[in-house]
Amino acid sequence: MKWNGRFLYEYGHSLHCNGEYGESNRIMSEAIRRTCDPMVLNIIGKNYRAMGNYAEAETYFQRSTDRLPERIYPHYLLYQLYSEKDYDNEKKRKAEADIILNHKWKVESDATREIKEKTRIE
């Protein structure tokens, strides 16, 4: 199933959920070549964040926002990353908060409203 991007994503995501971040990134790196789904980039970024490699996490979250800028979730992941104690960046965090809170999102949903609310509170 190495040719199936959806399968690779699901497998890599399962590894991420089980805390197997390195192996998840290995599978997700293969998935990048098979699918253009930005969630692959988000999971790789989340893996790097969990491993404490914040610069790599930022790179993948930024790639995800570049791929589909109208999606709120990767902006929220960047916002959270910039709130990390060991990677705190107030200027970038505020910029992401402005994007999240002020942009007219294409799809308004419970999830986008929740993300906006969490951004307001933090």
Side-chain angles (χ1 to χ4, degrees):
M1 298 285 287
K2 284 176 69 171
W3 54 269
N4 187 317
R6 191 86 204 121
F7 171 79
L8 292 169
Y9 168 79
E10 293 297 336
Y11 180 44
H13 186 245
S14 295
L15 291 167
H16 165 78
C17 291
N18 285 328
E20 298 178 46
Y21 307 121
E23 184 64 10
S24 174
N25 276 351
R26 190 181 72 72
I27 297 299
M28 289 300 194
S29 293
E30 184 69 28
I32 285 175
R33 297 188 302 208
R34 307 285 187 249
T35 180
C36 60
D37 185 348
M39 280 303 294
V40 172
L41 300 169
N42 293 337
I43 297 300
I44 293 172
K46 288 171 75 172
N47 286 334
Y48 279 122
R49 180 179 175 196
M51 293 186 289
N53 189 338
Y54 302 122
E56 281 296 312
E58 181 180 16
T59 297
Y60 280 93
F61 294 152
Q62 190 60 56
R63 282 180 63 187
S64 182
T65 63
D66 291 345
R67 190 166 286 182
L68 282 173
E70 72 277 359
R71 289 219 178 148
I72 192 171
Y73 186 58
H75 289 284
Y76 183 63
L77 291 173
L78 280 167
Y79 173 81
Q80 288 180 316
L81 180 67
Y82 299 140
S83 299
E84 282 280 344
K85 179 183 169 191
D86 294 332
Y87 202 68
D88 185 41
N89 187 320
E90 187 175 349
K91 183 178 178 182
K92 287 182 178 181
R93 183 176 61 248
K94 285 182 178 182
E96 290 301 325
D98 285 344
I99 291 169
I100 293 166
L101 297 173
N102 298 319
H103 187 73
K104 299 293 183 207
W105 298 102
K106 185 176 178 180
V107 177
E108 190 72 29
S109 67
D110 290 340
T112 58
R113 283 187 285 279
E114 182 179 340
I115 286 171
K116 285 182 178 184
E117 186 60 32
K118 285 181 178 180
T119 303
R120 268 189 211 98
I121 292 170
E122 297 171 2

